[in-house]
Amino acid sequence: MITSSAPGKIYLFGEHAVVYGENAICCAIELRTHVQAEFNDHIEINSVLGRSGLNFEKHPYVSAAIERMKEFAPVDGVKININSELPVGSGLGSSAALTVSTIQALNHLFHCGLSLEQIADLGYNVEWDVQGNASPTDTYVSTMGGVFMLPSRRKLELNDCGIVIGDTKKNSSTKKLVTNVAELKNRFPEIVTSILSTIGKITYCGEYSVCNGDYESIGKLMNINQGLLDSIGVGSLELSQLIYSARSKGAYGAKLTGAGGGGCMIALADASKTVDVSDAIKSAGGVPITTNITDKGVVVETKR
Ligand code: MEV
């Protein structure tokens, strides 16, 4: 039996702008999806959603990953158990973490010898198979772990900063939000293009602050980034309530992460402030999760 795990991710800066080729900084976080894989006489997939065979409605990502892995091994008898610390559909890369972790577990169970680059590419293909569109960022960051400047994929170092996530528990559609931004851009091209380009510049300044471990500047830049995300219509009342409550308790900065419209916000806070920030997010109606940035990408945890 093989147990693997892969991390979720947050955007420190640059979501939406990255769709138009601007810079973004994306970080793997310590919340992980664990996948157990063992030989079986048929395909069985178990998760909080229940038990199924190869089933593209109940377990689309695992089913698509199994199908893709058939290119490398005869994956027709396997039992998969999924256990995730990531809230689903909240912009934290839960589907990428599940996909990448499943591929790695099958890779080791069937001795396919896939490299990390191959796993990231295959994960991207699986997300395409399921969603019909996907950004390669989530699967890449989940596979490699760490902090990346996009689209260049330059690796950055950022240690010891507390991240408090606030989940609004409101699902949103990435496709719809990306389309809304595109429509706004068509309607007001000069204004929206300059907002997206300014977000790219914020990321560029953010990279400098990340490299210097200057959390105060990172936080201020996150707040400016949030203002601009609001201006292009991807904020929400619930996100703003969590963001302002986190800031009021001394977070360096707070913003939405991912597509917005619901989903999650993130607050960057000194270790001494994470409890207060977390309590404030809870009082404002969110579900707080305190985590950290991690360098640990997809790994095999146990082999038996
Ligand atoms: C969604 O997690 C991030 C967006 O920038 C879309 C994308 O990059 O694919 C909104």
Side-chain angles (χ1 to χ4, degrees):
M1 182 171 65
I2 302 287
T3 308
S4 65
S5 73
K9 65 101 201 10
I10 54 168
Y11 273 95
L12 208 49
F13 304 108
E15 53 272 268
H16 286 287
V18 73
V19 173
Y20 298 91
E22 299 290 347
N23 290 324
I25 295 179
C26 196
C27 317
I29 51 172
E30 277 174 354
L31 302 173
R32 306 180 73 82
T33 296
H34 306 263
V35 170
Q36 254 179 17
E38 61 187 298
F39 292 116
N40 201 20
D41 57 6
H42 60 283
I43 291 175
E44 181 183 316
I45 307 168
N46 297 295
S47 72
V48 286
L49 299 175
R51 174 177 303 175
S52 79
L54 206 63
N55 183 321
F56 291 85
E57 298 212 328
K58 191 174 252 184
H59 292 121
Y61 293 96
V62 174
S63 298
I66 289 173
E67 285 294 290
R68 284 270 174 187
M69 287 302 286
K70 286 182 179 170
E71 196 184 315
F72 305 96
V75 188
D76 41 23
V78 68
K79 179 170 166 183
I80 303 268
N81 292 325
I82 304 158
N83 185 356
S84 187
E85 297 154 9
L86 287 157
V88 174
S90 303
L92 299 181
S94 61
S95 60
L98 173 59
T99 301
V100 161
S101 186
T102 302
I103 294 171
Q104 181 65 301
L106 296 174
N107 180 32
H108 279 259
L109 191 67
F110 289 91
H111 302 289
C112 302
L114 297 179
S115 66
L116 289 181
E117 276 73 20
Q118 283 174 300
I119 291 172
D121 286 348
L122 212 53
Y124 175 45
N125 291 336
V126 167
E127 290 221 306
W128 256 103
D129 294 342
V130 175
Q131 298 164 197
N133 72 354
S135 134
T137 302
D138 289 16
T139 39
Y140 184 80
V141 173
S142 185
T143 304
M144 304 300 174
V147 180
F148 289 92
M149 187 77 167
L150 303 168
S152 66
R153 294 184 171 175
R154 195 164 55 251
K155 193 151 191 225
L156 311 177
E157 296 297 328
L158 180 64
N159 304 314
D160 300 330
C161 65
I163 301 278
V164 186
I165 293 169
D167 189 352
T168 63
K169 290 278 166 192
K170 295 255 150 85
N171 280 350
S172 66
S173 156
T174 300
K175 195 171 172 182
K176 186 163 175 284
L177 285 149
V178 169
T179 305
N180 290 351
V181 172
E183 280 170 9
L184 199 67
K185 186 166 172 289
N186 281 340
R187 193 157 173 185
F188 305 108
E190 275 187 33
I191 294 169
V192 175
T193 301
S194 83
I195 290 171
L196 295 169
S197 141
T198 304
I199 292 177
K201 289 189 187 115
I202 291 169
T203 304
Y204 192 68
C205 285
E207 181 189 16
Y208 183 78
S209 306
V210 164
C211 292
N212 288 317
D214 178 356
Y215 302 123
E216 218 176 295
S217 296
I218 296 171
K220 288 200 184 310
L221 290 166
M222 286 168 71
N223 292 345
I224 301 172
N225 193 163
Q226 172 60 27
L228 294 176
L229 287 166
D230 259 332
S231 78
I232 54 170
V234 298
S236 74
L237 175 62
E238 291 83 3
L239 281 167
S240 288
Q241 281 166 336
L242 306 191
I243 288 165
Y244 278 97
S245 63
R247 288 180 192 162
S248 76
K249 290 295 172 186
Y252 290 120
K255 62 179 272 295
L256 66 84
T257 182
C264 291
M265 52 71 70
I266 52 167
L268 183 73
D270 186 77
S272 63
K273 301 255 168 77
T274 52
V275 173
D276 285 350
V277 169
S278 169
D279 288 348
I281 287 172
K282 196 168 176 190
S283 303
V287 179
I289 314 171
T290 300
T291 186
N292 222 313
I293 287 167
T294 182
D295 263 338
K296 192 167 141 190
V298 67
V299 291
V300 170
E301 290 172 347
T302 49
K303 291 185 192 187
R304 276 203 274 118

